[in-house]
Amino acid sequence: MLRYFISLLLVLALSINGFSQETDQTEQPIDSVEYKQQYGLRVGADLSRVVRSFLDENYTGLELVGDYRLTEKLYLAGELGNEEFTQTEDLGGTLLYNYTTTGSYIKLGVDWNTYQNWYGMNNLISLGGRYSFATFSQTLNDYQVFNSNRFFTPDGFLPGIGETPEEFSGLNASWLELVLGVKAELFANIYLGISARLGYLITNTEDDRFPNLWIPGFNKVTDRSNFGVGFNYSISYFIPFYKKSKKKKDPETSPSEQ
């Protein structure tokens, strides 16, 4: 999965370079000394969560994405989402527990564009960070407990829950997120984006009777580790608000012309 994602990231980065060179050759004279850059809001949605909601009956999710250009390189960025995920853990085909996590999250931060665009383009190869916060609940649908007395339970397990699932509400978590992303303009003002995210869990409020095994927006919680990994595949639309002039350095003149 990681190798596939990295391949897509490289293809999209190369596409940015190709699109930019083509636009530069067709839209802007070489001897231009001044041009205007567009500033505005880009909004969209994460395609991977939408597709997964249709393909996986145990998952429902939606994430909205957006960024606002503050300076030539700096963008205010964020994501807002809601997820519900049901998981089953088993041991050799024997059910251990089944639970459902439901909640919402918000991520706010900045992206720094490391790519030098040609005239008329607003593509990104960005490095950024987010502060993220999630509120959620977990419902323990079913579980079994191990019984060392094999006379009545030959397989060693007893049912551990009655007819009513047990809900643990009022849970929350916060984490910092390092984001590496690419956004390329496919058509006029329409962008395709891919990002990889490395999260570090800061706070994790959980119930003593059942730990937080999965957090919306953060994904799986690993024992003895505060790190989590996520991906994002987005499509977004750029809404231009205004243009700002940028001066381009004049070509150097030879000493004979001075």
Side-chain angles (χ1 to χ4, degrees):
M1 179 65 181
L2 182 59
R3 183 180 302 175
Y4 174 72
F5 173 79
I6 293 175
S7 300
L8 285 178
L9 199 66
L10 291 175
V11 169
L12 196 53
L14 292 174
S15 300
I16 288 180
N17 186 57
F19 293 152
S20 298
Q21 290 180 356
E22 181 180 352
T23 304
D24 179 68
Q25 295 173 0
T26 58
E27 295 186 8
Q28 177 69 7
I30 297 177
D31 58 353
S32 174
V33 296
E34 184 176 354
Y35 61 92
K36 293 183 179 294
Q37 293 181 325
Q38 288 187 326
Y39 285 71
L41 178 65
R42 185 166 26 214
V43 293
D46 179 17
L47 293 175
S48 63
R49 285 174 168 81
V50 174
V51 172
R52 186 180 176 185
S53 297
F54 282 101
L55 300 180
D56 187 351
E57 62 180 8
N58 294 318
Y59 176 85
T60 302
L62 176 65
E63 179 179 279
L64 304 179
V65 302
D67 62 69
Y68 180 78
R69 190 176 189 180
L70 297 175
T71 68
E72 181 183 354
K73 294 290 187 179
L74 186 63
Y75 292 75
L76 179 65
E79 295 82 27
L80 177 66
N82 181 274
E83 292 183 300
E84 179 178 306
F85 188 30
T86 299
Q87 298 186 79
T88 299
E89 296 290 340
D90 58 50
L91 180 63
T94 300
L95 172 71
L96 295 180
Y97 50 85
N98 175 279
Y99 68 98
T100 300
T101 305
T102 305
S104 302
Y105 60 90
I106 185 170
K107 305 178 181 183
L108 295 174
V110 295
D111 287 332
W112 180 264
N113 187 15
T114 63
Y115 181 74
Q116 183 62 48
N117 281 289
W118 294 91
Y119 169 76
M121 301 301 292
N122 192 20
N123 297 314
L124 287 85
I125 300 178
S126 61
L127 181 65
R130 304 284 190 274
Y131 174 78
S132 308
F133 183 79
T135 59
F136 55 98
S137 65
Q138 292 196 118
T139 301
L140 185 58
N141 302 312
D142 192 12
Y143 72 95
Q144 295 191 118
V145 293
F146 181 76
N147 184 13
S148 59
N149 187 348
R150 299 300 182 90
F151 182 79
F152 294 102
T153 55
D155 60 356
F157 290 90
L158 286 171
I161 199 167
E163 297 180 355
T164 303
E166 186 174 3
E167 181 179 359
F168 307 98
S169 58
L171 310 175
N172 62 76
S174 65
W175 64 96
L176 295 177
E177 206 168 74
L178 179 66
V179 183
L180 174 64
V182 172
K183 288 188 177 75
E185 187 174 18
L186 299 182
F187 309 102
N189 294 338
I190 298 179
Y191 290 79
L192 179 65
I194 302 175
S195 68
R197 296 156 180 271
L198 177 64
Y200 182 80
L201 203 60
I202 300 175
T203 63
N204 183 19
T205 303
E206 57 188 5
D207 196 285
D208 294 335
R209 294 169 295 170
F210 190 67
N212 295 336
L213 303 175
W214 192 87
I215 298 173
F218 182 84
N219 295 326
K220 185 177 180 180
V221 180
T222 306
D223 290 340
R224 295 180 295 275
S225 175
N226 288 345
F227 289 96
V229 178
F231 302 96
N232 175 291
Y233 306 86
S234 65
I235 187 167
S236 54
Y237 182 79
F238 178 70
I239 306 171
F241 290 163
Y242 63 93
K243 293 183 179 181
K244 184 183 294 187
S245 296
K246 178 185 177 182
K247 291 184 179 181
K248 188 176 182 180
K249 292 183 179 180
D250 296 330
E252 295 183 1
T253 57
S254 61
S256 61
E257 296 175 338
Q258 295 180 350

